């Protein structure tokens, strides 16, 4: 009997449908994958809830999902490092590989990059999926398919810590205790940060952050960014060397600029408004470097190594699990703050 393929197709705002599609065949340097697990990201929720994420807008039906793992079921011509049966984590962005940015190793900034579930490119929340073989990374036997799906958001955190220069002895502020914020905390600690303070408006997420290794947690109850920066300084015992903004809140970005020590770095991992009002002159006079993060580059092997070594454990972050047929319920749980969800995983 021929294999059947089922996919979660987003047609528009609040319109996610399960549809049968053709089973894709691998081309040159591609592999066909039987998808294992796919995590729901904040960007997926934005496409589902609003029909857009930042500057990217949904114009045609699109298969959702980009945090994925799978098992190789077919190998296309030219593939040498993978074989049928290999379990892999899927790096969802495939660049042109030939432009100046790609050759400099900054392939995440390639203008021709094709990224899963970024319009108009289909994602991988389906039973079968085809992907570039050189952007599929073998999973150690000790890691589950769910952990393989978590490599994608973990890579974001690895890249963010690299951009911020987190190192031995760093004191780090993390704004936002969602899955990315908590994983950023874990990565910072693995890199040798001596103290990490994480902020959020949600007590449940702060409790999770504390239980998973945060040195300090602070509930945000004020809109006075300068006053909050003072509390952060008192909590850490000094100004943070690095602030990782993971909440997507303009207020948190402003707080980070006030809190970060002169000569430090503020890294934008979360996505706030397109034109936030921030104290840029203050940042300039403090020589605080404001750095952007756009996905990641060359971080998958490092993320997998962190998981394999046990220095980072993402399993406690997976709070809700659904099967592919219940994808709509999975998205509803991921969006609902009252659900207590940190990371929602769909097993295909």
């Amino acid at each position: 009997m021929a294999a059947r393929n089922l996919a979660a197709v987003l047609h528009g705002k609040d319109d996610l449908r399960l549809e049968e599609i053709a089973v894709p065949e691998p081309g040159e340097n591609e592999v066909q994958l039987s998808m294992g697990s796919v995590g729901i990201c904040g960007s997926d929720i934005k496409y589902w809830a609003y029909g857009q994420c930042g500057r990217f807008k949904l114009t045609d039906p699109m298969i959702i999902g980009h945090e994925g793992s799978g098992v190789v079921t077919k190998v296309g011509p030219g593939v040498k490092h993978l074989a049928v049966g290999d379990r892999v984590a899927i790096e969802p962005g495939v660049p042109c590989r030939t432009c100046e940015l790609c050759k400099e190793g900054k392939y995440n900034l390639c203008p021709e990059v094709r990224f899963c579930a970024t319009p108009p490119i289909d994602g991988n929340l389906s039973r079968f999926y085809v992907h570039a073989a050189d952007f599929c990374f073998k999973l150690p036997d000790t890691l589950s398919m769910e952990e393989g799906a978590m490599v994608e958001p973990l890579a974001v955190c690895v890249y963010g810590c690299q951009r911020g220069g987190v190192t031995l002895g760093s004191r780090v502020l993390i704004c936002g205790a969602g899955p990315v914020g908590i994983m950023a905390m874990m990565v910072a600690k693995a890199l040798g940060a001596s103290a990490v303070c994480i902020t959020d408006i949600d007590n449940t997420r702060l409790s999770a952050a504390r239980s998973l290794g945060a040195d300090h947690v602070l509930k945000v109850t004020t809109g006075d960014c300068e006053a909050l920066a003072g509390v952060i300084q008192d909590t850490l015992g000094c100004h943070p060397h690095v602030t990782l903004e993971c909440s997507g809140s303009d207020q948190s970005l402003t707080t980070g600029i006030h809190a970060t020590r002169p000569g430090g770095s503020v890294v934008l991992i979360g996505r706030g408004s397109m034109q936030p009002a921030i104290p840029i002159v203050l940042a300039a006079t403090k020589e605080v470097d404001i750095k952007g993060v756009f996905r990641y580059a060359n971080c998958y092997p490092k993320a997998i190594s962190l998981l394999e070594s046990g220095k980072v454990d993402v399993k406690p972050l997976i709070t809700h699990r659904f099967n592919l047929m219940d994808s709509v319920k999975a998205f509803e749980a991921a969006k609902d703050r009252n659900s207590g969800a940190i990371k929602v995983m769909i097993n295909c």
Side-chain angles (χ1 to χ4, degrees):
M1 181 181 294
R4 297 176 63 190
N5 195 11
L6 192 67
V9 182
L10 185 63
H11 284 258
K13 179 181 175 181
D14 293 325
D15 188 5
L16 184 65
R17 309 177 196 174
L18 274 294
E19 298 178 357
E20 189 166 333
I21 62 172
V23 176
E25 293 295 322
E28 187 84 16
N29 297 315
E30 291 182 334
V31 289
Q32 182 194 78
L33 301 166
S34 172
M35 292 301 296
S37 299
V38 179
I40 296 179
C41 172
S43 64
D44 296 321
I45 295 172
K46 288 181 180 178
Y47 285 124
W48 173 63
Y50 308 113
Q52 68 179 84
C53 180
R55 69 179 189 271
F56 301 105
K57 295 183 179 180
L58 184 72
T59 57
D60 297 294
M62 175 187 76
I63 299 171
I64 200 72
H66 65 271
E67 299 179 357
S69 62
V71 179
V72 176
T73 46
K74 287 186 180 180
V75 174
V79 177
K80 298 180 179 178
H81 73 290
L82 293 175
V84 171
D86 283 342
R87 301 158 61 252
V88 300
I90 304 163
E91 182 170 348
V94 180
C96 75
R97 306 175 182 83
T98 59
C99 71
E100 184 177 359
L101 287 164
C102 283
K103 290 181 177 180
E104 290 176 357
K106 301 175 182 177
Y107 63 82
N108 57 314
L109 303 178
C110 171
E112 302 300 324
V113 67
R114 295 172 59 85
F115 198 92
C116 288
T118 297
I121 309 302
D122 280 326
N124 53 30
L125 184 49
S126 55
R127 287 192 175 140
F128 291 95
Y129 171 71
V130 160
H131 200 69
D134 54 325
F135 283 83
C136 293
F137 295 82
K138 284 186 184 179
L139 287 173
D141 292 339
T142 54
L143 298 183
S144 68
M145 297 300 274
E146 290 187 340
E147 289 171 287
M150 293 290 279
V151 172
E152 199 279 339
L154 183 59
V156 173
C157 301
V158 170
Y159 191 55
C161 285
Q162 287 181 182
R163 292 280 287 157
V166 176
T167 187
L168 287 169
S170 295
R171 293 188 178 254
V172 181
L173 168 64
I174 295 175
C175 301
V180 169
I182 293 176
M183 280 189 284
M185 175 270 294
M186 293 175 169
V187 173
K189 298 284 284 186
L191 293 175
S194 60
V196 179
C197 176
I198 190 164
T199 65
D200 204 283
I201 60 174
D202 186 281
N203 284 326
T204 300
R205 291 192 165 192
L206 289 173
S207 295
R210 184 184 290 281
S211 69
L212 294 171
D215 299 287
H216 309 282
V217 298
L218 280 176
K219 184 174 183 179
V220 178
T221 59
T222 176
D224 187 334
C225 299
E226 194 168 356
L228 179 57
V231 175
I232 291 165
Q233 180 186 354
D234 291 342
T235 301
L236 279 171
C238 66
H239 292 285
H241 301 87
V242 182
T243 292
L244 304 175
E245 204 303 293
C246 301
S247 70
S249 162
D250 292 353
Q251 178 181 320
S252 291
L253 174 56
T254 296
T255 299
I257 292 171
H258 280 287
T260 303
R261 78 168 189 174
S265 296
V266 175
V267 183
L268 281 72
I269 298 177
R271 293 286 181 268
S273 63
M274 294 299 288
Q275 292 184 311
I278 60 173
I280 193 68
V281 173
L282 176 64
T285 56
K286 290 174 64 178
E287 294 192 4
V288 168
D289 293 334
I290 301 175
K291 298 184 179 183
V293 161
F294 189 60
R295 299 166 180 160
Y296 37 74
N298 303 302
C299 290
Y300 259 57
K302 297 172 185 176
I304 291 172
S305 178
L306 285 171
L307 293 175
E308 184 180 19
S309 69
K311 291 180 179 178
V312 170
D313 181 8
V314 296
K315 296 188 294 294
L317 296 176
I318 304 170
T319 56
H320 291 61
R321 294 173 171 85
F322 295 85
N323 61 40
L324 183 60
M325 294 297 293
D326 291 326
S327 293
V328 174
K329 292 180 180 178
F331 271 76
E332 289 171 346
K335 183 184 178 185
D336 183 7
R337 275 197 171 272
N338 294 324
S339 70
I342 297 178
K343 174 59 68 174
V344 175
M345 192 66 63
I346 298 173
N347 294 306
C348 300

